[in-house]
Amino acid sequence: MLAVQSGGLESLPEWQACFAEYAPGLEVRWWDDPELIRERVEFALVWNPKPGWLASLPRLQAIFGAGAGVDSITADPHLPRMVPLVRCVPPEGTQRMGEFICWAVLSLARQARRMTLAQTDRRWDWFEPPFTANERRVGIMGLGAMGQRAAEMLVGLGIPVMGWSRTRKSIPGVESYAGDAERDAFLARCDVLVCLLPATEETRGVLAAPLFARLPRGAGLVQVGRGQQQVLPDILAALDSGQLSGAVIDVFDAEPLPAEDPVWVHPGVIVTPHVASLPSRRERARYVAAAIEAFGRGEALPNLYDHARGY
Ligand code: NAP
Ligand code: GLV
């Protein structure tokens, strides 16, 4: 049996219909269904489970995150660490992220925020973009499943791309920087900085004034990692001073972003409501069903969370 906690109870019929197609033998129940027999739950598909609930399932064999980032699951102090935790990274997820990053980078290059504000005022604000997107080097912090696909798609647009990760990568057309020792050299060459890092203790608060000071003046920022990585007042101050020229921010510490937050109305920021990449339920069900089937054959589970690394 699979217990689901993702998308609200109203999403259960869709989950059940998708799993009926991809894993016909699998019973799918809502996590807090009063009739759920906890001893029968072998798999859980969750986004932000109630702390302690996963630990209360005595026959749990694998936990599937409903997203690629599983920080809202690992935040549970009672998380059963010996049960494998699978991040949700189907091809549709990386594709959607790549599309979002390309859109965000092009929106910064073509000053989409400026045009939206002018349209709202019915103002014919004719201007010439000062550069083309392929004249601006994009640096991606985090070259994992998401960052690598985004890098490939940007390269496909003819945009120069670099990446920074803990370990060095070899991706055609992408300059790889690795580790803390190479971070500042990487930042110094980023005309647009994309953050695709996971939420860990090391990445908490990294998008702040000291990092922005390392970027070329007038750099753009695309933040799609997690809200705990940014200091919003520092982003606004860097935009006001011209150190940053524009930002696209998809993730926030408090979601939904409170209506009174000044980020909403800043002329340099495009706010998006944590939509960069969420694969359809059908695609996620297909991914989970395939993983359960492979697990049943004794094969390894994909995209496992590593407790020692924290991502
Ligand atoms: P991933 O495959 O685990 O990749 C993480 C990348 O970050 C790896 O390249 C890793 O380096 C690098 N990294 C981690 N800690 C680092 C550090 N301290 N210094 C330098 N590099 C570090 O994760 P993913 O699937 O690409 O997803 C990344 C994150 O994107 C998720 O955790 C989530 O927060 C976010 N996300 C957001 C959305 C959205 O809709 N906004 C959707 C999906 C994901 P190594 O390769 O060397 O290990
Ligand atoms: C979404 O934020 C995800 O981690 O998949």
Side-chain angles (χ1 to χ4, degrees), residues 47 66-71 87-88 97 146 224-226 250-251 274 276-279:
W47 171 247
V70 291
D71 41 290
R87 302 186 313 104
C88 190
M97 180 58 82
M146 296 288 159
V224 280
R226 281 291 185 267
D250 184 55
V251 287
H274 201 146
S277 170
L278 186 62

Side-chain angles (χ1 to χ4, degrees), residues 63 84-87 287 300-307 309 311:
I63 302 164
L85 170 56
V86 179
R87 302 186 313 104
Y287 172 86
L301 288 164
N303 297 302
L304 282 176
Y305 174 83
D306 180 332
H307 287 273
R309 289 189 320 186
Y311 63 96

Side-chain angles (χ1 to χ4, degrees), residues 185-223:
F186 162 81
L187 292 172
R189 297 182 66 224
C190 288
D191 298 313
V192 180
L193 178 68
V194 175
C195 179
L196 261 169
L197 290 167
T200 66
E201 277 319 304
E202 289 83 50
T203 65
R204 182 182 295 280
V206 284
L207 297 181
L211 181 145
F212 301 143
R214 299 279 177 191
L215 296 171
R217 187 163 177 79
L221 173 69
V222 178
Q223 161 57 331

Side-chain angles (χ1 to χ4, degrees), residues 16-241:
Q16 287 173 324
C18 294
F19 278 107
E21 190 172 333
Y22 296 119
L26 188 67
E27 190 181 347
V28 178
R29 303 288 286 264
W30 192 241
W31 73 280
D32 70 347
D33 179 338
E35 287 171 17
L36 183 89
I37 300 168
R38 292 184 184 211
E39 289 71 21
R40 291 194 53 221
V41 178
E42 298 164 280
F43 303 103
L45 170 57
V46 294
W47 171 247
N48 55 354
K50 192 172 159 197
W53 176 70
L54 290 166
S56 76
L57 305 172
R59 292 190 55 225
L60 191 61
Q61 296 184 40
I63 302 164
F64 292 91
V70 291
D71 41 290
S72 55
I73 300 170
T74 57
D76 178 352
H78 308 291
L79 180 70
R81 288 165 65 105
M82 61 302 228
V83 178
L85 170 56
V86 179
R87 302 186 313 104
C88 190
V89 194
E92 191 187 291
T94 55
Q95 175 66 21
R96 285 184 190 225
M97 180 58 82
E99 290 175 8
F100 186 92
I101 301 297
C102 291
W103 165 80
V105 166
L106 293 176
S107 295
L108 290 173
R110 299 308 298 258
Q111 302 187 35
R113 175 72 170 138
R114 171 175 172 168
M115 290 192 279
T116 303
L117 289 171
Q119 182 177 351
T120 306
D121 296 347
R122 302 178 182 217
R123 188 164 35 82
W124 192 260
D125 175 29
W126 193 91
F127 67 96
E128 275 182 84
F131 45 76
T132 58
N134 63 358
E135 291 171 316
R136 303 252 288 169
R137 190 179 291 102
V138 174
I140 304 177
M141 298 177 94
L143 273 184
M146 296 288 159
Q148 292 195 26
R149 183 70 185 126
E152 288 164 4
M153 290 172 72
L154 289 168
V155 167
L157 288 173
I159 293 173
V161 183
M162 309 178 297
W164 178 73
S165 43
R166 277 193 330 125
T167 55
R168 200 169 305 286
K169 308 292 176 211
S170 174
I171 306 167
V174 178
E175 290 180 71
S176 167
Y177 289 77
D180 291 343
E182 295 180 13
R183 195 189 80 143
D184 289 352
F186 162 81
L187 292 172
R189 297 182 66 224
C190 288
D191 298 313
V192 180
L193 178 68
V194 175
C195 179
L196 261 169
L197 290 167
T200 66
E201 277 319 304
E202 289 83 50
T203 65
R204 182 182 295 280
V206 284
L207 297 181
L211 181 145
F212 301 143
R214 299 279 177 191
L215 296 171
R217 187 163 177 79
L221 173 69
V222 178
Q223 161 57 331
V224 280
R226 281 291 185 267
Q228 53 97 285
Q229 293 157 349
Q230 73 228 6
V231 180
L232 281 178
D234 286 12
I235 295 180
L236 298 191
L239 288 163
D240 291 339
S241 73

